[in-house]
Amino acid sequence: MMQNGDDIVVDPSLNNSVIGIIDSGVGGLTVAKEVMRQLPRETIYYFGDTLRCPYGPRSPEEVRQYTFEMIHFLEQFPLKALLIACNTATAVALEQVQSVLSIPVLGVIKPGARAAIKATREGKIGVIGTQGTIRSQAYKIALEELHPSISVHSLACPTLVPLVENGNRSSPEAYRVVAEALRPFQNKQMDTLILGCTHYPLLADLIHQVMGAHVRIISSAEETASELSTILHHSGLLAQKKKFHRFFATGSAELFAKIASDWLGQKIYAEKVELSSYTLYRKKFFAG
Ligand code: DGL
């Protein structure tokens, strides 16, 4: 797709290209599921860097580097759009990725902020996320940009991602861990809680039980998929025919396939990727 002022020139061969979705692990499947629901003709190539998950405690430089490594891997396929379905990577890398790719690139933070503004009744919003996302203040900035008098409480919950990545989200231990992580929010006034990490919707039932029925739980998946749908529609890039989705993981393909099949409600086959050797190969032959 070439953009020239307001004119968008669409390469028709892109219609049946694929949508790339990346995350540090299985969390981006929450966004993938919503894309499959809203855009059932589209084909997704999903990359989960499960071997190096979590990204939350890592430095912004490291998260940016890993994000580009995932993208370089997916660039061997014909991509028509890319979703950074990871809040931590969106917070530190979205603008840079947008500046170098010539396809639409979407993050999950602005859509999440928009969904929360739509849902809140009293303008009192809580945000939970990884240390990296909370440290970046990206949600607070995005919410205040939309609504100047919003009140925002933020909390990093580093114990939640491992529960999901280890496939323990319905274990008896999981409720105790979620309750403990959310304890600092128990006496805070809020009517809406943003799940500012794409892994957290997999724990939504537990989070709901802990926070109580008066708090609306918001994930960015729905709004992100609907933004993607609008962009594909307006650029004439909607697919006519679905091909097979593909799932790549840097860690155990079996564990990824088990979590993905369970969450997506269909049998998923995952392919294991050794990103470091692929990146070295690319550096050697493409100097990129
Ligand atoms: N799912 C990711 C996010 O949305 C990252 C979790 C992690 O790797 O720490 O932030």
Side-chain angles (χ1 to χ4, degrees):
M1 187 175 77
M2 285 176 1
Q3 289 182 28
N4 176 15
D6 286 335
D7 299 331
I8 296 179
V9 185
V10 176
D11 173 357
S13 66
L14 277 180
N15 285 55
N16 288 320
S17 304
V18 304
I19 295 166
I21 301 188
I22 57 171
D23 179 43
S24 63
V26 297
L29 291 169
T30 58
V31 183
K33 186 174 183 172
E34 197 50 36
V35 172
M36 290 174 187
R37 193 180 73 80
Q38 292 189 34
L39 293 161
R41 285 206 182 93
E42 300 298 332
T43 303
I44 290 170
Y45 278 19
Y46 183 98
F47 194 103
D49 192 7
T50 47
L51 192 66
R52 299 188 292 193
C53 189
Y55 281 8
R58 296 181 187 275
S59 69
E61 294 72 29
E62 206 169 16
V63 173
R64 263 193 293 274
Q65 182 196 326
Y66 292 177
T67 303
F68 273 102
E69 287 176 7
M70 291 191 279
I71 294 170
H72 289 327
F73 176 83
L74 285 181
E75 275 183 317
Q76 68 184 294
F77 304 112
L79 296 182
K80 64 176 170 185
L82 177 78
L83 290 192
I84 303 183
C86 173
N87 291 268
T88 316
T90 299
V92 299
L94 177 65
E95 284 174 18
Q96 208 176 333
V97 176
Q98 283 173 329
S99 72
V100 297
L101 294 197
S102 56
I103 53 172
V105 179
L106 282 75
V108 282
I109 292 180
K110 286 189 175 169
R114 279 201 304 273
I117 294 286
K118 279 189 217 166
T120 186
R121 288 152 300 199
E122 295 160 25
K124 295 184 176 132
I125 297 179
V127 182
I128 53 174
T130 66
Q131 298 103 307
T133 301
I134 298 303
R135 201 185 322 117
S136 75
Q137 299 211 37
Y139 269 102
K140 192 167 156 49
I141 295 166
L143 287 164
E144 287 174 354
E145 216 170 81
L146 290 168
H147 198 307
S149 59
I150 211 89
S151 114
V152 185
H153 295 292
S154 305
L155 176 67
C157 298
T159 52
L160 303 192
V161 167
L163 277 183
V164 176
E165 285 292 326
N166 297 334
N168 283 341
R169 67 190 181 100
S170 359
S171 68
E173 171 73 355
Y175 179 86
R176 197 192 57 73
V177 174
V178 170
E180 186 55 37
L182 293 174
R183 193 190 300 277
F185 265 6
Q186 288 309 312
N187 53 1
K188 294 273 188 296
Q189 293 285 318
M190 67 185 72
D191 63 73
T192 301
L193 176 68
I194 301 178
L195 306 184
C197 169
T198 52
H199 281 72
Y200 299 170
L202 285 126
L203 298 166
D205 290 346
L206 297 179
I207 294 171
H208 206 79
Q209 279 176 47
V210 172
M211 293 304 292
H214 63 288
V215 177
R216 291 187 180 184
I217 306 291
I218 301 297
S219 102
S220 24
E222 206 177 311
E223 188 80 18
T224 306
S226 116
E227 186 180 336
L228 176 67
S229 170
T230 308
I231 290 173
L232 296 183
H233 200 203
H234 282 228
S235 344
L237 284 176
L238 285 170
Q240 280 106 38
K241 200 162 163 249
K242 181 174 150 319
K243 292 172 279 181
F244 287 109
H245 301 307
R246 287 179 75 179
F247 297 85
F248 304 96
T250 50
S252 158
E254 289 73 30
L255 181 58
F256 184 96
K258 186 174 173 299
I259 298 172
S261 303
D262 178 38
W263 176 250
L264 298 175
Q266 53 182 291
K267 184 88 190 106
I268 296 303
Y269 173 74
E271 300 166 57
K272 184 165 163 78
V273 170
E274 280 193 33
L275 205 45
S276 52
S277 57
Y278 182 81
T279 306
L280 288 178
Y281 162 84
R282 211 188 126 87
K283 276 204 178 116
K284 197 162 163 201
F285 291 99
F286 301 101

